[in-house]
Structures are given as structure tokens and as C-alpha cells.
Amino acid sequence: MSDVHGLPHQPDVAPGDEVGGIRLHVLGYLTGLGLALVLTATSFFVAGTDLVWQPSIPVAIVVLAIAQMGVHVVFFLHITTGPDNTNNVMALAFGLLIVFLVIGGSLWIMSNLNHNMPPMDQLMLMQR
Amino acid sequence: MVATTIAHGHDLNLLGLADTEHEGPAPKRIVTGYGFWIFLLSDMVMFSCFFAAYAVLLGQTAGGPSGAELFNLRSVAVETTCLLLSSFACGMASIAAEVHSHLWFQIAMAVTCVLGLAFLAIEFHEFADLVARCARGPRRAFLSAFFTLVGCHGLHVSAGTLWLLTMMAQVFAKGFRADIQRRFLCFALFWHALDIIWVAVFSVVYLLGSAV
């Protein structure tokens, strides 16, 4: 990105590249690993427990999965919100848009079709 | 007139257009990494289609066993741990490549490879078990969607393992040249992206698939 406000120019960063020393890098990966392990364990615990209100479980699993993907993107792929990362974030945002359109759209359309379809026994009668 | 010229010049300066020095094209490492990042995003879009198919066909078991009866969550937890630790080991290999340490690079890559192979072995065992249990009976859309989605991820991991071995050999033979470093950057991105897709797989396919 070009500097707009006369600040010294900062070159772009490739996705996966990180700035800082070795110790900081290792610490970053360790933080990511710890967070991911905690989120995974919580996910598996929530799926198999009776302690949580049952209807909330699918929502909890989805939320935990999205949180863990965020952890992976930040700590392993090093996609940040910094000015040197704008291009990477814009590409990611577009990818996410398509992903949500495909998954959300499919679920919406198919549930609508299922809802509007007559029950199976009536359908059998109509085919005769 | 003078005032407008000054204002104009000021605006150009603000926009960064008055700079006489141009940066030129971005370094090759950034262009390569960005291009591969876009490929990975398109790969995720492809996976999202398989996820949509699985979510829609989840209930279409034709009277056969559902996910809750078929999946073994314990082995899925082991698979998840293997892939997560191998992603971490791949991160350590990136750091070793950055500081040009041959020994640590080969160690970290070997650990990544072993954990990836362990993941594949468990998945293969699980698939063989499922095929043995579900080969008889009607064809089920649920199982087709399951094998397509999880099998596609398994194929990606297999291809990634081959790429991993190639990278170890290339670094061993040619050292940390700039072009080898670019290839390794792409490999590391690929391996971490596979782990992200696995997060969606174990959450949606196994955990939600057993809950519904």
C-alpha cells in the first residue's frame, strides 16, 4: 500500500511472513497452539456433555470452530490488520463472502424447498 | 492562482503522486505468496461447496445408521491433535528456514511429516472400517457427501505430504536459495490452510453430524 499521509513507506508483507525476532516467532506459534488446543478441547467437551443446555450445543460448536479458525489465521498464517497486510485481508474477505453465500444460500434454499414440498406419501399418490 | 497551485501541489503530495521515486513492482516473495494465498482461498471456496452438500444431505440416510452411530469421536480427537501439532511443527520449520538452520529445518519437517502420516493412517483405518460396515444396504446420499468431503481433505493432506518430502530433499540438495524459500513459503501456507479446513471438518462433519 502506498503511504497516504507522508509516513515512511512500509513494504507489503507476504501471507505467512512475520516481523520480529526468533523468540517472538516461537512465542507466537506457542500462543496459537495453546489457544487452538483449548478451543478444540472445549469443542469436543461440549459435544459430548450433558452439563450444557442441549439446544445451545450446535451454536456453541460453530462459534468455537470460527474462533479457532481465527486463531489459526492470526497465529499460523500471520494475516493481520496491519497496513502492510491490506491486500491479504481483502482477498480473505472476498473468499469469506463467497463461502458464506454458498453455504448459507444452499441451506436456505434447501430448507425452503423441504418446507414447501408435500409429505412423501402424498407425493407417491400424485405420481400414480 | 498561486493559492490554487499551492493547494493543488499539496493535494498531490497527500495522494503520494508527487513522489518522483517509484517503488517499482513488489518483491517476488510477496507476489508469489499473494498468488498462492488466492489459490488457497479458491480451494476453500471449493471445500465450502462440499460442506454445503454435506449439511444439506446430513439427514438423507435412507433408513441406515446416522452419523452418531457411525463416527468414533475418540479417533477424531487423536486425528485433530496430530494435525494441529504438525501445523505447529511446520511453523517451527518456517522459523528454521528463516535463520537458515539446516538441522532444525530437517528435524521440524520430519516431525511434521510423521504427524501428517499418523493423521492419514488413522483416517484410512476409519474409512476402511466405515466401508466394511456400510458396503451393504442402499446407497445413501449422506455417506456420499461424507466420503467426498473428508476424502477430498485426505487427498489434500496426501499431496501435502509428498510436497513436504520434496521440500526436505530440495533444501538438503540446494540449500536455502531464494526460490527454494519461496516454495517453502507456499508449502507452509498450504499446510496451515489444511489445518483450518480440518477445524471445519471436525466441527461440522463429526461433532455436529453426531449431535443431529
Side-chain angles (χ1 to χ4, degrees):
Chain A
M1 293 282 101
S2 62
D3 48 331
V4 179
H5 300 295
L7 293 168
H9 183 82
Q10 216 177 355
D12 277 4
V13 169
D17 272 353
E18 205 186 10
V19 281
I22 297 183
R23 188 176 296 235
L24 218 63
H25 286 194
V26 177
L27 208 65
Y29 280 108
L30 276 175
T31 316
L33 180 69
L35 283 174
L37 278 174
V38 168
L39 287 168
T40 305
T42 317
S43 237
F44 275 90
F45 170 76
V46 163
T49 186
D50 294 329
L51 297 173
V52 187
W53 185 52
Q54 296 297 312
S56 73
I57 286 178
V59 182
I61 290 174
V62 169
V63 169
L64 285 166
I66 291 173
Q68 192 175 345
M69 285 189 230
V71 166
H72 282 246
V73 164
V74 171
F75 289 99
F76 291 164
L77 287 174
H78 308 304
I79 304 293
T80 63
T81 49
D84 51 4
N85 238 306
T86 317
N87 289 333
N88 302 335
V89 174
M90 291 306 280
L92 177 65
F94 181 68
L96 284 181
L97 171 73
I98 303 296
V99 165
F100 279 113
L101 281 181
V102 167
I103 295 181
S106 301
L107 285 175
W108 185 18
I109 290 171
M110 290 311 288
S111 73
N112 203 27
L113 278 177
N114 283 339
H115 185 74
N116 288 333
M117 200 154 86
M120 207 35 123
D121 44 350
Q122 277 185 39
L123 210 64
M124 295 291 218
L125 285 175
M126 279 157 67
Q127 279 176 344
R128 271 180 203 154
Chain B
M1 188 62 199
V2 174
T4 49
T5 317
I6 289 169
H8 197 57
H10 188 64
D11 277 355
L12 277 181
N13 224 345
L14 268 181
L15 290 167
L17 295 173
D19 287 354
T20 45
E21 281 178 60
H22 287 288
E23 303 287 335
K28 215 165 179 180
R29 185 176 172 84
I30 288 170
V31 175
T32 311
Y34 186 61
F36 198 74
W37 178 230
I38 289 181
F39 159 73
L40 285 177
L41 287 167
S42 69
D43 214 30
M44 288 186 186
V45 167
M46 183 196 73
F47 268 104
S48 78
C49 299
F50 290 140
F51 274 109
Y54 179 84
V56 165
L57 298 173
L58 188 54
Q60 312 295 318
T61 54
S66 67
E69 297 159 65
L70 287 176
F71 299 146
N72 178 5
L73 288 188
R74 194 172 295 259
S75 77
V76 176
V78 178
E79 278 177 279
T80 307
T81 316
C82 282
L83 211 56
L84 186 56
L85 288 177
S86 100
S87 210
F88 177 73
C90 180
M92 295 299 107
S94 313
I95 296 174
E98 212 170 300
V99 297
H100 293 209
S101 158
H102 274 275
L103 178 67
W104 283 110
F105 178 82
Q106 298 292 355
I107 290 176
M109 285 295 261
V111 172
T112 312
C113 182
V114 167
L115 287 166
L117 287 176
F119 169 86
L120 282 175
I122 300 171
E123 183 158 85
F124 187 78
H125 188 259
E126 187 201 347
F127 274 18
D129 184 44
L130 277 181
V131 168
R133 277 198 285 168
C134 302
R136 272 178 234 138
R139 291 187 187 171
R140 286 152 247 173
F142 161 66
L143 282 177
S144 302
F146 169 81
F147 280 118
T148 313
L149 171 54
V150 185
C152 189
H153 179 268
L155 274 182
H156 274 75
V157 177
S158 312
T161 313
L162 284 180
W163 191 0
L164 187 156
L165 294 171
T166 316
M167 286 318 302
M168 281 173 85
Q170 285 197 325
V171 169
F172 181 73
K174 301 177 184 173
F176 292 110
R177 274 177 5 203
D179 55 340
I180 308 290
Q181 290 272 23
R182 283 199 299 273
R183 279 175 214 167
F184 178 70
L185 171 75
C186 293
F187 166 75
L189 285 172
F190 184 71
W191 200 255
H192 293 314
L194 283 187
D195 204 15
I196 292 183
I197 291 172
W198 179 255
V199 171
V201 169
F202 84 72
S203 300
V204 172
V205 173
Y206 291 103
L207 297 183
L208 286 181
S210 325
V212 172

